[in-house]
Amino acid sequence: MPRRILSIWCAELPVDRWRLCSGTGRGEGADAGPLVLIAETAHGPRIEAVNPAGRAEGARKGMMLADARTLCPRIQTMPSDPAGDLDFLEKLALWSRQWGPWSAMDAPDGVLVDVTAVAHLFGGESSLLADVQARFASRGLVARLAIAPTAGAAWAMSHFGPERAILGAGCDVVARLSDLPVTSLRLDEDVLVVLRRLGLKTIGQLAGVEEGERQDGAGRDSLHRRFRNRKSPAANPLVRLDQLAGKVPEPLLPVIPQQMPLVQRRLMEPIRHRALLDTVVSDLAEDMVRELEGKAQGARRLELGLWRVDGEVILRVLELAAATRDPSHIVRLFAEKLEDIDAGFGIETVRLRASWAEPLALEQADIEAAAERHGTSLSACLDRLTTRLGPKAVRRPVPHGSHIPERAQRWQAPLDPEPARQEEMRFHARPLKLLDRPEAIAVLYATPDGYPKRFRWRGEVHEVAKVEGPERVAPEWWRSRSATRLRDYYRIEDQAGRRYWIYRHGLIGDGRGGAPEWYLQGLCA
């Protein structure tokens, strides 16, 4: 059976998704005028997507916003959301499985569907394409479609061919697509520049290159030698050409939906009392544990839904510090979240869903299992604290790769793995306590660049008895502005034996401001 691939190109996916999220119809509201979606870059805002009115005014994707405003001063801007677009595209890929046994994402704005031997179910390939386009249009999405024997040919036809193009099985793919530009081979921009310099502008010209055919060294062997170190298909035009013709396989990663464990109870009589609700939740927890055991998984996030008789739905979410299959632990944590439940005229359905599960061995270590039975497990303790204090109240500090003191620490979830650190930074001695923000102090010193002799902090004057330093910390040039000043840190001790960590911000005559300023940032032991 010849293979048939359907390529769906959502040509205006970011703008279409913005319309769906904002509840705006095509050509209505803000979409009636020129509008662009922008992303912040080091050189200023850059346009990521344009609506039809914006294209009519001259705005294009990849153009800097400042340039677009010179063409159209009244253009409106909205922030782009590439992560949201990718998540939406994944859902589209799953939804597209209604037209074939599997589908794959063709990021950033396309979907590939294997429609081999299924077209007759829709009345033929033409009817299949019409059905796909109608369903995408009903969702407010603009789509260009094509069916071809290979993924590369289908992609090229959907992007550069006619509307709803069909390339028959058994035909000479390269000959049929010979007039399309080499851009339709999905190549990197630097490769396209090289091909243009060689005069290879179409697929037909690239396919016609043979050994010794041309005297300027642009034969197939010459191209092979030029790109032999390029392992990525997008960086090698010969690999892309062979994939287009079906001479070499092109692996595609199908999107596979995950069925998360779910258990529920439809009650014969609506319940209104807390004791009965606790019993139902306990039964659901037991059922959920059996579901998780069958998958060798543990729950990290659980969602408890309560359907009332009047149609209202009450949702309680529980996020755990570590994967668990302990029903008593789950029931105990949910019990604290059900205190304020208003059952109304009664609850008729209770559903428990594990929306986040992780692999968990069926057997646990004896010492950990015993600790959990006695309620002393670290993860159980963290779960109780999180349930009582809030999801963001329990965190732990971890080192971060930065020599600026206030940036050298970050917070993360208690049981998440610690990130890699710079071992060479260990020689830096830091005070026991850092202030939330450095506090300005007045310092008296013998010479402008000498040791401090006396300083005033919070209204009290301290005579400096001992000084150690300075430790010079330069600004992070890749993150800070060029006008940022360096710091000279001193560890000092006053006459009462109290130790402080102060720094001088800037140097005299460094051209980055006036006189240096002094700050106190930490207290030493």
Side-chain angles (χ1 to χ4, degrees):
M1 180 66 68
R3 194 179 185 192
R4 308 294 289 163
I5 300 295
L6 165 64
S7 174
I8 305 171
W9 178 35
C10 300
E12 301 178 5
L13 180 65
V15 176
D16 289 343
R17 180 172 165 270
W18 169 80
R19 289 195 196 98
L20 294 174
C21 294
S22 60
T24 304
R26 185 176 295 276
E28 300 176 354
D31 192 49
L35 180 139
V36 295
L37 305 184
I38 60 172
E40 293 294 335
T41 68
H43 304 287
R46 184 181 61 202
I47 296 177
E48 296 294 319
V50 189
N51 73 338
R55 281 196 299 273
E57 297 286 346
R60 295 289 183 271
K61 179 183 178 182
M63 180 185 292
M64 303 305 293
L65 179 60
D67 298 333
R69 286 197 186 279
T70 61
L71 300 174
C72 179
R74 63 188 184 94
I75 197 167
Q76 297 188 54
T77 61
M78 295 288 175
S80 63
D81 182 15
D85 294 340
L86 192 63
D87 182 67
F88 183 71
L89 184 65
E90 185 178 17
K91 292 181 173 62
L92 275 182
L94 289 172
W95 179 66
S96 300
R97 294 180 70 206
Q98 59 184 302
W99 295 294
W102 64 262
S103 62
M105 294 173 59
D106 184 21
D109 51 9
V111 176
L112 296 172
V113 185
D114 188 349
V115 294
T116 303
V118 302
H120 67 281
L121 301 175
F122 299 88
E125 292 183 343
S126 298
S127 300
L128 172 62
L129 292 179
D131 182 63
V132 174
Q133 193 145 46
R135 289 181 180 271
F136 268 76
S138 67
R139 296 190 60 171
L141 300 172
V142 176
R144 286 179 55 87
L145 314 170
I147 294 180
T150 63
W155 191 93
M157 294 291 286
S158 64
H159 285 68
F160 296 92
E163 291 281 350
R164 286 189 269 179
I166 297 176
L167 207 59
C171 69
D172 188 346
V173 175
V174 176
R176 292 286 302 275
L177 305 182
S178 60
D179 294 333
L180 296 186
V182 289
T183 309
S184 61
L185 291 176
R186 299 169 291 168
L187 297 170
D188 295 338
E189 188 59 33
D190 60 331
V191 180
L192 294 174
V193 172
V194 173
L195 294 180
R196 292 193 191 101
R197 289 175 179 173
L198 294 175
L200 303 175
K201 299 180 181 179
T202 65
I203 292 178
Q205 292 173 341
L206 180 62
V209 174
E210 295 295 341
E211 179 68 23
E213 180 179 339
R214 301 178 58 154
Q215 300 300 322
D216 56 359
R220 184 179 177 90
D221 285 349
S222 298
L223 284 176
H224 178 72
R225 287 194 296 273
R226 180 183 290 270
F227 296 104
R228 65 177 178 273
N229 295 326
R230 306 286 188 96
K231 303 303 180 185
S232 170
N236 194 319
L238 298 179
V239 173
R240 280 298 194 202
L241 189 62
D242 291 341
Q243 288 180 343
L244 181 84
K247 296 179 181 177
V248 296
E250 180 178 355
L252 300 174
L253 186 63
V255 179
I256 301 175
Q258 285 189 342
Q259 301 295 333
M260 303 310 296
L262 184 147
V263 293
Q264 69 176 5
R265 288 283 191 280
R266 295 185 183 276
L267 307 174
M268 297 183 65
E269 294 290 338
I271 57 174
R272 300 181 58 186
H273 300 290
R274 174 63 189 276
L276 295 176
L277 180 59
D278 289 341
T279 303
V280 175
V281 172
S282 178
D283 293 342
L284 289 176
E286 295 286 350
D287 294 347
M288 176 59 69
V289 168
R290 283 190 287 272
E291 290 282 333
L292 293 170
E293 284 179 348
K295 299 176 180 294
Q297 293 180 333
R300 286 293 304 274
R301 185 188 299 117
L302 291 164
E303 298 174 358
L304 181 67
L306 308 173
W307 273 258
R308 299 196 319 193
V309 175
D310 56 4
E312 291 291 328
V313 180
I314 303 171
L315 185 65
R316 293 291 183 269
V317 180
L318 188 67
E319 191 158 317
L320 307 170
T324 183
R325 285 195 301 267
D326 184 358
S328 60
H329 182 52
I330 295 173
V331 171
R332 185 166 50 244
L333 295 177
F334 268 124
E336 299 185 14
K337 290 181 170 290
L338 299 179
E339 297 290 344
D340 58 343
I341 291 294
D342 180 10
F345 294 103
I347 297 172
E348 58 180 0
T349 301
V350 183
R351 177 181 297 173
L352 182 62
R353 176 173 175 264
S355 57
W356 179 13
E358 290 182 346
L360 182 64
L362 296 178
E363 294 183 359
Q364 296 180 335
D366 291 340
I367 184 171
E368 182 69 12
E372 288 190 355
R373 283 196 298 273
H374 291 86
T376 56
S377 167
L378 177 61
S379 60
C381 177
L382 292 173
D383 290 338
R384 293 178 191 176
L385 290 174
T386 303
T387 303
R388 293 180 180 180
L389 304 177
K392 297 182 179 179
V394 183
R395 291 287 187 270
R396 69 161 174 156
V398 293
H400 177 65
S402 174
H403 51 266
I404 304 298
E406 59 268 27
R407 297 176 183 167
Q409 172 182 295
R410 287 186 176 179
W411 296 88
Q412 69 174 31
L415 297 183
D416 285 354
E418 189 171 325
R421 67 177 67 179
Q422 291 180 292
E423 295 296 331
E424 64 269 19
M425 301 293 286
R426 281 185 173 180
F427 66 89
H428 288 166
R430 294 291 180 257
L432 184 64
K433 176 179 176 56
L434 278 181
L435 302 182
D436 292 336
R437 292 183 178 178
E439 297 184 11
I441 58 175
V443 175
L444 177 66
Y445 39 81
T447 60
D449 56 351
Y451 290 143
K453 299 296 184 183
R454 181 186 303 165
F455 71 94
R456 180 188 296 274
W457 178 50
R458 295 183 179 177
E460 183 178 357
V461 178
H462 301 263
E463 296 289 340
V464 177
K466 297 179 182 178
V467 181
E468 179 182 344
E471 174 193 342
R472 177 156 295 179
V473 176
E476 294 177 329
W477 55 266
W478 62 93
R479 180 184 302 171
S480 304
R481 292 180 296 181
S482 59
T484 304
R485 313 181 78 172
L486 57 80
R487 303 177 183 179
D488 281 339
Y489 279 88
Y490 296 89
R491 300 165 64 86
I492 62 174
E493 179 178 325
D494 63 7
Q495 290 183 333
R498 292 170 294 194
R499 298 177 180 178
Y500 305 92
W501 201 44
I502 67 175
Y503 70 87
R504 181 176 55 213
H505 190 227
L507 298 174
I508 293 181
D510 59 2
R512 298 182 176 182
E517 298 174 336
W518 287 82
Y519 294 91
L520 190 149
Q521 192 169 11
L523 305 175
C524 301

